[in-house]
Amino acid sequence: MNGHVKNMYFQLSIRTATTLLSLLLVMAVGPSKTITLCKNQQSGNSLQQTLKLTRLIYKESVDLLRIYKISQGDMSELFCKISNNDVPEPDISGLDPSERIASIYTHLQAFDPHFKRVFEQQTDLQLPPSALLKALSIVSNRSSSLTSLINCMYQSLFPNLPLPEPAWGPTSLPPSQNIFQQKVYGCIVLKRYKEFLSNAAKELRILKSQVCRKKTQMNVVL
């Protein structure tokens, strides 16, 4: 092996080792960095960001439901009126603020697998350049971001109270469905999710007013 080949082999080895080391560092630091960001985030900023994102997703969910109905053809207005016990209810539970924020968090977790199921079903029913699939993907991704923000906000506001697991346990998805059942199911999921986001935005507005009131009272005392 001549000197030029040896030099190329050495550089390749260095690049490979550096790449592997970078990946290992990302894997090791990533979760702790997320936790640090949550701990360093001020409760007021976290609450404002969460409320802003919730309002945005609610507006997008209104458009999403409209697009969904258009894409399902005849009788689409009737789909959302059929009852379905497999889909989470939109109501937020709890007596004090910590319980109600925790309820928002667990609801987001509960709706997530239903969103994924609707996306899978509609992927089979819609043509590839579909406005519905694009809208579903956007709302689903934003919802994942909202779940993370709620987590950070909860840690900031209630550092001594761990987030509970969903009271209803793992979310169960409906069994195999025919096309009509899929259309009904998707409409109910999107409708209840829209209603849930509306309820969540109201809760966050109330919490924001309470936090602002407490800060004003503290400033007056000081």
Side-chain angles (χ1 to χ4, degrees):
M1 185 181 295
N2 58 38
H4 177 67
V5 174
K6 287 182 178 180
N7 186 47
M8 289 180 60
Y9 180 78
F10 177 75
Q11 290 179 356
L12 179 61
S13 300
I14 291 294
R15 284 198 297 268
T16 302
T18 302
T19 301
L20 289 173
L21 179 60
S22 299
L23 289 172
L24 290 172
L25 286 172
V26 169
M27 293 171 64
V29 176
S32 60
K33 184 178 180 181
T34 301
I35 295 173
T36 302
L37 287 174
C38 284
K39 289 184 177 179
N40 292 339
Q41 198 170 32
Q42 295 181 354
S43 59
N45 293 337
S46 178
L47 179 53
Q48 179 62 30
Q49 291 174 5
T50 305
L51 177 57
K52 184 177 180 180
L53 182 57
T54 303
R55 287 171 170 168
L56 173 62
I57 304 175
Y58 170 72
K59 292 179 181 178
E60 291 177 337
S61 71
V62 173
D63 292 333
L64 173 58
L65 183 58
R66 177 182 56 80
I67 295 171
Y68 182 88
K69 290 179 178 179
I70 293 174
S71 68
Q72 303 308 305
D74 298 336
M75 299 176 60
S76 59
E77 287 295 334
L78 299 176
F79 293 157
C80 290
K81 297 179 181 180
I82 301 176
S83 62
N84 189 314
N85 295 326
D86 295 317
V87 181
E89 294 290 340
D91 300 325
I92 295 168
S93 61
L95 298 177
D96 57 57
S98 65
E99 291 176 345
R100 298 186 75 78
I101 298 303
S103 179
I104 294 175
Y105 180 77
T106 53
H107 268 74
L108 286 166
Q109 291 181 309
F111 271 106
D112 180 62
H114 291 278
F115 245 95
K116 291 177 180 177
R117 171 65 69 85
V118 172
F119 186 86
E120 292 172 358
Q121 292 176 343
Q122 292 300 314
T123 299
D124 295 332
L125 297 175
Q126 304 296 322
L127 295 175
S130 168
L132 173 60
L133 295 179
K134 181 179 180 181
L136 277 169
S137 180
I138 290 174
V139 172
S140 179
N141 290 335
R142 291 200 202 279
S143 296
S144 297
S145 299
L146 180 60
T147 304
S148 298
L149 272 178
I150 290 285
N151 191 340
C152 287
M153 185 190 73
Y154 187 92
Q155 291 182 40
S156 178
L157 293 172
F158 314 107
N160 298 321
L161 296 175
L163 271 169
E165 294 295 325
W168 48 81
T171 302
S172 59
L173 293 173
S176 180
Q177 300 168 312
N178 59 39
I179 292 179
F180 176 79
Q181 291 171 328
Q182 290 178 18
K183 291 184 176 185
V184 170
Y185 168 72
C187 198
I188 295 173
V189 169
L190 300 186
K191 179 186 176 184
R192 290 189 184 175
Y193 189 64
K194 174 181 72 70
E195 294 170 351
F196 157 71
L197 289 171
S198 177
N199 293 336
K202 292 176 184 176
E203 291 295 332
L204 293 171
R205 282 197 299 270
I206 293 172
L207 181 61
K208 181 183 177 183
S209 66
Q210 292 174 343
V211 171
C212 291
R213 192 181 307 120
K214 288 181 180 179
K215 285 185 177 180
T216 302
Q217 292 173 349
M218 289 177 62
N219 291 334
V220 170
V221 172
L222 294 175

